[in-house]
């Protein structure tokens, strides 16, 4: 994982260092590049810059550079997935060659699933271009697409070859999409880093106003914390039940489904955090003061903590069974006993969930 600026500039070695591998020796290397359509539209010179990078010594042969759909809709069918698999076949991308994905988290998921399944896995280089993908989504080992109206129903675990984060891409994100990415930073701070939460708490208004000097350290620290948990906490492939990084996500995933993906993942996570923190308070764990601080931070980041769909509480609660099935058996939900003090539970009282919704509305 590398955080940098102007990744494809001639004087930045970060990209070439990720692709030049002495262990391969003289074996031919090839690469195919997929660019999120939103990124391609915002950065018209990107293709030329990427082509120039591949002209350097020891670089793979660039076989294909193609624009594909981005956004959550690209995960609702197999178009992007199929195109990646076709390109791997057509351009002879073997296990020591590269699929390079440049885009937001949903597009990285879809392209990554293709890279993970072709030849049982070719080398994937992720270049995340949104706050949400740089502070969370690109750091994991999961990739996949949606099916049967269920989020990430099809997918796999496949560690990327490299994750290269370029802060320049964040400058063209819309304000709402920029802000919503910080819900994952709040999540990981509440779980793992009290100092980071205090930093976000202090700087939340400036972050929402896109003060990059204050926003970028939060993004980088969040990415580091996500990566550290995945690599160092002993269960990267989620063999066991515990999934603390899904704090706030049982409701978030359900809200995305219920809204037909009109609620973005980042906003849904913010709402899910508000709900689960309120549940934690109602259970007598999280103090009123800490709950107020968390809700205040989310709102100061201009993130939602409620949505009219929460009123359909029976439908929302049905997401618990779906979440349990996705986990592989026993339900495991992360709540808080305090900021930086996660606690796992294996059931939620529907009446407590209903009261939490009532308080947030």
């Amino acid at each position: 994982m590398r955080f940098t600026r102007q990744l494809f500039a001639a004087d930045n070695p970060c990209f070439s260092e990720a692709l030049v591998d002495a262990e391969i020796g003289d074996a031919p290397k090839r690469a195919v590049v997929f660019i999120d359509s939103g990124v391609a539209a915002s950065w018209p010179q990107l293709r030329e810059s990427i082509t120039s990078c591949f002209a350097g010594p020891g670089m793979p042969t660039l076989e294909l550079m193609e624009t594909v759909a981005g956004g959550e809709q690209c995960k609702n069918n197999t178009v992007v997935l199929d195109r990646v698999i076709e390109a791997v076949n057509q351009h002879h991308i073997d296990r020591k060659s590269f699929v390079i994905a440049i885009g937001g988290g949903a597009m990285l998921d879809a392209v990554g699933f293709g890279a993970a399944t072709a030849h049982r896995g070719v080398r994937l280089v992720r270049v995340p271009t949104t706050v949400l993908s740089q502070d969370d989504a690109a750091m994991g080992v999961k990739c996949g697409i949606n099916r049967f109206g269920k989020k990430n129903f099809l997918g796999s675990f496949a560690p990327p070859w490299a994750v290269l984060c370029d802060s320049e891409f964040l400058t063209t994100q819309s304000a709402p999409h920029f802000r919503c990415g910080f819900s994952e930073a709040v999540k990981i701070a509440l779980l793992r880093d009290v100092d980071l939460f205090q930093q976000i708490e202090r700087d939340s208004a400036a972050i929402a106003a896109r003060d990059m000097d204050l926003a970028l350290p939060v993004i980088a620290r969040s990415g580091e914390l996500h990566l550290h948990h995945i690599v160092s906490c002993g269960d990267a492939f989620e063999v066991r039940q515990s999934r603390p990084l899904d704090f706030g996500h049982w409701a978030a995933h359900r809200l995305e489904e219920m809204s037909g993906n009109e609620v973005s993942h980042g906003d849904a996570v913010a709402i899910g955090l508000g709900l689960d923190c309120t549940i934690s308070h109602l259970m007598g764990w999280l103090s009123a003061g800490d709950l107020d601080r968390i809700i205040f931070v989310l709102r100061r980041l201009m993130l939602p903590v409620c949505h009219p769909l929460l009123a359909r509480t029976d439908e929302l609660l049905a997401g618990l069974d779906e979440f349990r099935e996705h986990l592989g058996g026993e339900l495991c939900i992360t709540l808080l006993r305090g900021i930086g003090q996660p606690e796992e539970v294996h059931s939620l009282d529907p009446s407590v969930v209903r009261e939490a919704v009532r308080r947030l509305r």
Side-chain angles (χ1 to χ4, degrees):
M1 179 185 72
R2 293 281 298 274
F3 282 85
T4 187
R5 183 174 176 270
Q6 296 183 342
L7 174 66
F8 300 110
D11 59 351
N12 189 340
C14 187
F15 184 65
S16 61
E17 288 174 353
L19 271 64
V20 175
D21 182 7
E23 294 180 3
I24 298 177
D26 295 329
K29 294 178 292 181
R30 300 178 176 87
V32 291
V33 176
F34 293 93
I35 305 173
D36 187 311
S37 57
V39 176
S42 297
W43 297 90
Q45 302 302 316
L46 181 59
R47 295 174 70 95
E48 181 180 343
S49 299
I50 293 171
T51 300
S52 296
C53 286
F54 278 96
M59 289 289 284
T61 301
L62 178 57
E63 300 286 350
L64 171 75
M65 186 160 25
E66 185 171 310
T67 299
V68 297
E72 190 67 23
Q73 293 303 320
C74 81
K75 293 178 61 173
N76 288 335
N77 55 54
T78 64
V79 173
V80 173
L81 168 67
D82 290 341
R83 185 65 197 108
V84 174
I85 294 172
E86 290 166 0
V88 169
N89 177 57
Q90 292 169 359
H91 298 285
H92 308 289
I93 303 300
D94 58 29
R95 291 182 180 179
K96 293 185 178 178
S97 292
F98 299 91
V99 170
I100 299 165
I102 304 170
M107 180 267 194
L108 298 182
D109 267 0
V111 173
F113 189 30
T117 51
H119 295 306
R120 297 179 179 170
V122 299
R123 293 181 176 185
L124 173 69
V125 175
R126 293 176 180 156
V127 181
T129 59
T130 64
V131 172
L132 188 64
S133 56
Q134 291 191 9
D135 73 0
D136 173 31
M139 303 306 162
V141 298
K142 294 184 286 188
C143 51
I145 61 173
N146 308 327
R147 192 70 180 272
F148 308 120
K150 298 178 180 180
K151 191 166 178 82
N152 300 322
F153 186 84
L154 297 179
S156 64
F157 293 92
W161 178 257
V163 180
L164 308 175
C165 302
D166 182 349
S167 61
E168 285 288 290
F169 285 120
L170 305 182
T171 62
T172 57
Q173 269 201 285
S174 69
H177 282 96
F178 179 85
R179 292 192 297 264
C180 79
F182 287 93
S183 61
E184 294 286 3
V186 173
K187 175 205 73 178
I188 197 68
L190 290 172
L191 293 173
R192 298 287 184 224
D193 193 331
V194 175
D195 290 342
L196 178 61
F197 179 78
Q198 292 172 343
Q199 181 179 346
I200 298 171
E201 186 176 32
R202 182 191 68 222
D203 298 333
S204 52
I207 290 171
R210 302 184 77 146
D211 183 327
M212 298 304 283
D213 289 337
L214 296 175
L216 289 177
V218 170
I219 294 168
R221 179 59 178 159
S222 175
E224 290 168 358
L225 287 167
H226 279 92
L227 181 63
H228 175 75
H229 175 86
I230 292 162
V231 171
S232 304
C233 292
D235 194 19
F237 299 102
E238 298 177 0
V239 175
R240 299 187 295 277
Q241 297 288 343
S242 176
R243 294 178 63 180
L245 296 186
D246 276 339
F247 175 42
H249 281 55
W250 75 269
H253 287 176
R254 190 61 170 171
L255 283 172
E256 289 178 79
E257 295 166 3
M258 291 167 64
S259 72
N261 299 125
E262 288 185 10
V263 178
S264 71
H265 181 68
D267 281 352
V269 169
I271 296 165
L273 291 176
L275 182 63
D276 282 353
C277 288
T278 303
I279 292 170
S280 300
H281 170 66
L282 292 172
M283 291 176 64
W285 291 358
L286 188 67
S287 71
D290 281 348
L291 175 61
D292 288 345
R293 289 174 66 194
I294 294 165
I295 298 297
F296 175 78
V297 166
L298 291 170
R299 286 179 169 156
R300 209 170 184 208
L301 287 167
M302 300 181 70
L303 296 173
V305 295
C306 194
H307 191 279
L309 285 172
L310 291 182
R312 291 156 50 181
T313 313
D314 288 341
E315 194 174 343
L316 179 72
L317 285 165
L320 286 170
D321 279 339
E322 190 174 298
F323 197 67
R324 175 197 54 75
E325 181 179 317
H326 191 64
L327 289 173
E330 186 178 24
L331 181 68
C332 188
I333 300 289
T334 300
L335 299 177
L336 292 181
R337 286 195 176 273
I339 295 172
Q341 300 175 50
E343 180 82 14
E344 296 168 11
V345 301
H346 302 291
S347 64
L348 288 179
D349 184 337
S351 66
V352 174
V353 176
R354 293 179 194 282
E355 175 61 16
V357 169
R358 188 191 69 77
R359 294 198 181 198
L360 287 170
R361 290 173 62 189

